[in-house]
Amino acid sequence: MAQITLISPTTVIAITGRRKKLSEISGASVRYKLSSLSPHVNWNIQKHIPWFGFTTSSNYYYSYSYGKNNNTSGVVNVSEGAISVPHGWPLEKVSEDQKGSKMKGSSRFFTIGLVAAWYSSNIGVLLLNKYLLSNYGFKYPIFLTMCHMTACSLFSYVAIAWMKIVPMQTIRSRVQFFKISALSLIFCVSVVFGNISLRYLPVSFNQAIGATTPFFTAIFAYIMTFKREAWLTYLTLVPVVTGVVIASGGEPSFHLFGFIVCIAATAARALKSVLQGILLSSEGEKLNSMNLLLYMAPMAVVFLLPATLIMEENVVGITLALARDDVKIIWYLLFNSALAYFVNLTNFLVTKHTSALTLQVLGNAKGAVAVVVSILIFRNPVSVTGMMGYALTVFGVILYSEAKKRTK
């Protein structure tokens, strides 16, 4: 039974018990039966919001009938599971009807759908990058990354400025601008190097190396912030590194240059996360991941454009020439660029709608799923030694996450 509280001059219907997300009280009309001094009051709330069930708007339309003849409609405010309605409603208690259980079921399906979209976009963009850069023969990783960043710039603006998925946060100072620019440059390096490595390494080995991110994060955190972890945390990094060494020795498609570039990409990704915690640590400068992408992506395009023109000369002309022979290359690039944005969007939404532990488990499993799918699609040779090395690395990452959690 949910309870309401009367607070003058506004009646606040506070839904007590388990805290509700906006997605659980939005979408289709939700009906509550309100009992009071009057015989019956039927109340409906509804709002049309995006499919992912997230909105920052607090306006929900309501309609209610009091007795048989009194019909009223207007606007209520919804915030943090509490619904504010005009003063004067004769309400004392509110109980949800049978739609409550249906809403819980729909919320569960919604979360499962989000996770499926997150996995699909992450693995999809990884496999499509591999196909374009290695199998298809499109040997322009910098231009490909620039396409990704261009799509992220456009979609981020639409999602925040028009669809209002999250409130837009502004850059407040020149110093903050330069901090975000530095993060964007490192972000470019990590993505470009990661794409370059896919030209030379199979996805399975690429993911094994990428799993060592906690090792580099611990190193950079110690060097740049003098932050020391518990000895047990450092001990868990041993299987992380050992696993990659074993996987490297047993990798049939090992390529030294690809290995070095992939290590550099992993290190750059860890450096970005540490620097982000340092540079954007004050309350006035913190940005959520969607707003950070809104500013970093166009900066990345500015960095990548001259690099593309200098290092991948006439790439646009070559791409158009390829399109004349096979128009599918244009669709591949467009779809791949859109997926690159949806990786960030679904990651943000999954973070919002799941717990930290769930996110940690899903993240560890995602790499393993990507490895299995890539082997099934590309049929790259694998060895038992390589798989054992990768499994050891993943096991080390899980131990590291547990050790970090216990020392907090």
Side-chain angles (χ1 to χ4, degrees), residues 62-221:
Y62 72 79
S63 65
Y64 78 97
S65 60
Y66 175 60
K68 294 183 179 180
N69 302 317
N70 188 357
N71 293 296
T72 305
S73 64
V75 174
V76 296
N77 292 320
V78 179
S79 176
E80 299 296 333
I83 303 167
S84 302
V85 297
H87 179 59
W89 282 21
L91 313 177
E92 292 178 355
K93 292 183 179 181
V94 56
S95 62
E96 293 177 286
D97 66 5
Q98 295 179 348
K99 288 190 178 181
S101 60
K102 293 181 180 178
M103 287 161 59
K104 290 179 183 178
S106 63
S107 177
R108 193 177 299 113
F109 283 120
F110 166 72
T111 304
I112 293 172
L114 269 184
V115 173
W118 183 43
Y119 269 45
S120 299
S121 57
N122 270 271
I123 297 172
V125 76
L126 180 66
L127 298 182
L128 195 49
N129 283 348
K130 173 63 178 176
Y131 174 74
L132 285 171
L133 294 168
S134 182
N135 297 61
Y136 190 88
F138 186 80
K139 301 176 181 179
Y140 305 101
I142 302 176
F143 178 71
L144 181 63
T145 307
M146 191 178 74
C147 291
H148 291 178
M149 293 300 106
T150 303
C152 287
S153 303
L154 295 174
F155 284 123
S156 293
Y157 184 79
V158 170
I160 297 176
W162 292 358
M163 299 176 67
K164 302 195 182 299
I165 294 177
V166 293
M168 181 177 284
Q169 297 171 284
T170 57
I171 296 178
R172 300 186 177 184
S173 66
R174 186 176 298 178
V175 173
Q176 187 184 15
F177 174 83
F178 284 117
K179 288 179 179 180
I180 296 173
S181 299
L183 291 175
S184 180
L185 181 60
I186 298 170
F187 180 54
C188 284
V189 171
S190 68
V191 177
V192 170
F193 279 21
N195 285 338
I196 291 174
S197 71
L198 286 173
R199 284 187 59 188
Y200 304 98
L201 301 177
V203 172
S204 53
F205 190 41
N206 176 279
Q207 289 295 288
I209 297 171
T212 62
T213 301
F215 170 75
F216 292 102
T217 301
I219 291 176
F220 286 127

Side-chain angles (χ1 to χ4, degrees), residues 25-32 43-49 59-63 74-76 78:
I25 52 176
S26 60
S29 178
V30 180
R31 173 168 291 183
Y32 296 83
W43 168 45
N44 293 280
I45 298 178
Q46 64 184 93
K47 181 180 177 66
H48 296 292
I49 62 175
N59 291 331
Y60 281 67
Y61 294 97
Y62 72 79
S63 65
V75 174
V76 296
V78 179

Side-chain angles (χ1 to χ4, degrees), residues 278-290:
I278 297 171
L279 298 180
L280 302 179
S281 57
S282 66
E283 287 299 322
E285 291 183 334
K286 282 184 179 178
L287 298 174
N288 62 49
S289 60
M290 296 298 289

Side-chain angles (χ1 to χ4, degrees), residues 4 33-41 90-95:
I4 67 165
K33 293 178 181 178
L34 310 178
S35 59
S36 178
L37 300 175
S38 59
H40 296 287
V41 177
L91 313 177
E92 292 178 355
K93 292 183 179 181
V94 56
S95 62

Side-chain angles (χ1 to χ4, degrees), residues 230-301:
W231 66 270
L232 184 61
T233 304
Y234 288 120
L235 189 63
T236 60
L237 294 173
V238 175
V240 172
V241 178
T242 305
V244 170
V245 173
I246 294 173
S248 301
E251 175 56 48
S253 305
F254 181 83
H255 190 285
L256 181 60
F257 176 73
F259 175 75
I260 293 171
V261 171
C262 194
I263 288 286
T266 306
R269 188 161 54 247
L271 177 61
K272 175 189 168 289
S273 66
V274 173
L275 270 181
Q276 186 173 327
I278 297 171
L279 298 180
L280 302 179
S281 57
S282 66
E283 287 299 322
E285 291 183 334
K286 282 184 179 178
L287 298 174
N288 62 49
S289 60
M290 296 298 289
N291 275 277
L292 187 60
L293 182 66
L294 174 67
Y295 295 114
M296 281 204 313
M299 292 177 184
V301 174

